[in-house]
Amino acid sequence: MEKFILGVAIGMAGGALAVANNCKLRNLVKKNQEDLMQKAEQYIDSKLGQMEQGSSQS
């Protein structure tokens, strides 16, 4: 699941950067990419935390 999220984020950002020709759009895409990557990292961290809690309780 995590690889899928990362692939989607990179694909969306790459496609948007290829289409965006002006500076304003590129900056917007970069900001959105950073936000998406941050959310993906938070999701992965929360899943890893749940896995660690589950293994320490067993």
Side-chain angles (χ1 to χ4, degrees), residues 5-24:
I5 292 173
L6 184 60
V8 168
I10 292 172
M12 286 178 11
L17 285 173
V19 171
N21 286 327
N22 69 34
C23 187
K24 215 181 246 189

Side-chain angles (χ1 to χ4, degrees), residues 1-2 7-11 13 17 19-20 25 31 36-38 45 47 49 51 53 57:
M1 181 69 178
E2 290 83 13
V8 168
I10 292 172
L17 285 173
V19 171
L25 286 176
K31 181 183 178 295
L36 185 62
M37 293 300 291
Q38 186 177 27
D45 289 343
K47 289 295 181 183
M51 288 174 60
Q53 288 178 355
Q57 291 178 357

